[in-house]
Amino acid sequence: MSHSHPHRVLRTTTVGAVSATLVAGAAFGLAPAAQAAPAAGPRAASTADARSTDVRFVDIPGDGGTVLKANVFTPKGAKAGAQYPSIVLPTSWAMPQIEYVAQAQKLADSGYVVVSYNSRGFWQSGGKIETAGPEDIADASKVIDWTLKNTPADPEKVGMAGVSYGAGISLLAAGHDKRIKAVAAMSGWGDLIDSIYSGRTQHFQAAALLGGAGALTGRPSAELQQTLKDFLGSNLDKEDEMIAWGKKRSPATYLDRINENGAAIMLGNAWGDTLFPPNQYAKFYERLTGPKRLEFRPGDHATAEATGLLGLPNDTWTSTQRWFDHYLKGADNGIDKEQPVQLKSRSTGGYEGYPDWKSVGPTRKKIAMAGSTTIRTNVDSGANGGIAILSNALDQFFKLPPMASMPLLPRRYAGVWQSERYDEPQQVRGTTKLHTTLSSTKESGTLVAYLYDVGPLGLGKLVSNAPYTFHGKTPGKPFGVDLELFSTAYDVPAGHRLALVVDTVDPLYIEHNPSGAQLTFSSPEADPSYVSVPLRKQ
């Protein structure tokens, strides 16, 4: 079977994944913090100036008695009998329990009891890594039980927040524990399958990064190890099982319960998140019925929140505190009256407010994909999505997204379709959609679509991308393909054009093109092929 031999661009990918881990570590100040964690004990608090807050390091019994290592920040001079709103912070994947010290300090200084705990299976907490499974959801409730019993926390004012893994656990807990009144879920996921298996394609670097970081800093459960092995090994016989495993760990699965429980939910994410792309978060946001807010910013996974973890001023954490101030303390700070969808453009760095997600890119411009184009597979044309964590962080800080020269892309391995030159700037906002007719010489295959902003000299800057994989097709028989590229906010300057490029190899993804396969894109008269680009109202 051709399925069992997926192709991977191993060299670049492995190097990429390792670099990405190091970059992510640097972003979080992970290396020094991680080494300091075991030895530091209660004195770690001194790094966060413990004068205004009382800090203690505690063991909290989680689900089944599993010990969760935690730290508790209480407002300084808490009066006997007084009660305070509380916020529970589960740590991110692979992060030590001091991850949130700077933010916990700030929140405690402004009158919150803050309990941050190391998610099970990581660092010194007991148990195995269950990947936001039932045990992790039960742990969250156990930590709330402990907080209400052992701190001056008000049972009516409980919040949960976290970055990445902590965000996912917080959202899942909001569907299982009615006591949670407000959530801030930063760089999280609504749908795990739509995140790392979008377009039926394994997001290789994302999964390898999670697996590698988990093995380095924790104890992966047998179930996680087997799932990763099947996933990275493209074991299609286990596809249904893997999807069921992911569904159980997706907040979207428990949407009715989350809505019924009614917590006020704020979601924050980055346009270039290579672990949890923004589309799936936007879809999840649209289906929430309680008080809600959605914030998207430039960057990659957890890079939009990272400076806040180091105690520096940070917009996402500022919104988080305003969210809790309003929904837990009742502060009349106006956050409930602002436009709930707040986007920061990758090009201007300015914020834009919208009443809902569908208002973001209301007008659509089509680029025709006329004629018939055949490309060969198994070769990276030079168009690619970059390196997980690293490339989109470069875009965030230096406006340097991955680039490719359109004239130099080998047409043997890449299909290229370009728009006319635009007389005025085009503000791309939201989700670009590709519609085409495809046939392959083999029954399986993968394509990756890229949208580029192309300047006068033919140099393209990556606007968005997405992979698409098919199995079990009749060779030579055309079929329709509809693919959503990852959502973004990007301004194409006047005098530039947009280009859609399709090739078959990208270090970010596992590809399923048998050797020698060819893909043909056609545009039947009755069903023309096109790219539909969402634009902000001019």
Side-chain angles (χ1 to χ4, degrees), residues 455-470:
L457 300 176
L459 186 67
K461 293 184 169 182
L462 188 64
V463 178
S464 184
N465 79 96
Y468 179 91
T469 294
F470 58 89

Side-chain angles (χ1 to χ4, degrees), residues 28-379:
F28 291 122
L30 173 65
Q35 288 151 12
R43 287 169 67 202
S46 64
T47 55
D49 180 12
R51 283 172 310 190
S52 48
T53 319
D54 291 324
V55 190
R56 34 186 191 128
F57 286 74
V58 297
D59 289 353
I60 297 178
D63 185 46
T66 297
V67 172
L68 303 173
K69 294 288 178 180
N71 47 51
V72 184
F73 289 74
T74 318
K76 187 76 175 163
K79 306 249 186 315
Q83 286 191 321
Y84 301 87
S86 65
I87 297 171
V88 171
L89 302 166
T91 54
S92 305
W93 188 267
M95 291 298 282
Q97 63 156 318
I98 58 169
E99 175 184 11
Y100 300 116
V101 161
Q103 289 300 327
Q105 174 82 44
K106 280 185 183 172
L107 288 163
D109 285 350
S110 59
Y112 292 92
V113 168
V114 184
V115 179
S116 162
Y117 70 94
N118 226 127
S119 304
R120 71 165 50 223
F122 287 106
W123 295 89
Q124 292 112 321
S125 281
K128 296 274 170 69
I129 302 172
E130 303 294 347
T131 326
E135 300 87 345
D136 293 297
I137 300 169
D139 282 347
S141 289
K142 293 282 192 192
V143 173
I144 294 172
D145 293 344
W146 184 94
T147 303
L148 296 178
K149 202 168 146 189
N150 295 281
T151 74
D154 183 337
E156 299 302 313
K157 296 174 180 173
V158 176
M160 267 192 90
V163 174
S164 183
Y165 194 45
I169 291 173
S170 296
L171 287 172
L172 287 160
H176 289 78
D177 195 322
K178 288 187 168 70
R179 295 173 296 184
I180 299 167
K181 297 295 190 285
V183 170
M186 298 167 261
S187 288
W189 70 93
D191 185 327
L192 200 51
I193 296 301
D194 201 14
S195 294
I196 58 171
Y197 194 49
S198 78
R200 211 177 168 189
T201 309
Q202 295 97 326
H203 293 213
F204 173 64
Q205 288 188 19
L209 208 58
L210 290 170
L216 274 174
T217 59
R219 298 167 300 285
S221 66
E223 185 184 23
L224 170 58
Q225 292 179 50
Q226 187 60 48
T227 303
L228 266 177
K229 190 177 158 193
D230 291 337
F231 184 78
L232 293 171
S234 306
N235 185 350
L236 276 184
D237 297 337
K238 294 284 183 72
E239 187 179 38
D240 291 344
E241 275 175 52
M242 289 188 269
I243 287 173
W245 178 89
K247 278 211 158 79
K248 190 192 258 190
R249 290 158 169 79
S250 297
T253 303
Y254 311 99
L255 193 88
D256 293 349
R257 283 154 72 172
I258 292 171
N259 284 335
E260 199 182 312
N261 289 352
I265 292 178
M266 182 187 113
L267 306 174
N269 204 349
W271 292 120
D273 194 320
T274 35
L275 268 61
F276 307 128
N279 312 33
Q280 51 88 28
Y281 233 23
K283 282 176 195 154
F284 178 71
Y285 170 83
E286 284 288 79
R287 296 170 62 204
L288 291 170
T289 54
K292 59 183 179 175
R293 183 177 175 94
L294 177 67
E295 300 186 348
F296 282 145
R297 294 179 176 83
D300 203 311
H301 184 65
T303 64
E305 301 85 29
T307 54
L309 294 176
L310 302 174
L312 301 170
N314 179 281
D315 289 0
T316 315
W317 284 100
T318 299
S319 289
T320 295
Q321 176 147 5
R322 291 180 65 222
W323 192 250
F324 286 132
D325 284 352
H326 180 76
Y327 287 102
L328 294 183
K329 284 185 177 175
D332 187 9
N333 58 14
I335 196 164
D336 54 318
K337 297 179 189 73
E338 293 166 8
Q339 297 275 41
V341 175
Q342 292 284 327
L343 310 183
K344 190 176 185 183
S345 158
R346 286 167 52 197
S347 306
T348 64
Y351 281 97
E352 303 164 1
Y354 299 89
D356 49 32
W357 177 246
K358 59 181 177 291
S359 307
V360 166
T363 52
R364 287 196 164 263
K365 227 175 223 185
K366 284 187 178 175
I367 301 168
M369 295 170 63
S372 175
T373 302
T374 298
I375 60 172
R376 292 161 192 236
T377 61
N378 311 122
V379 171

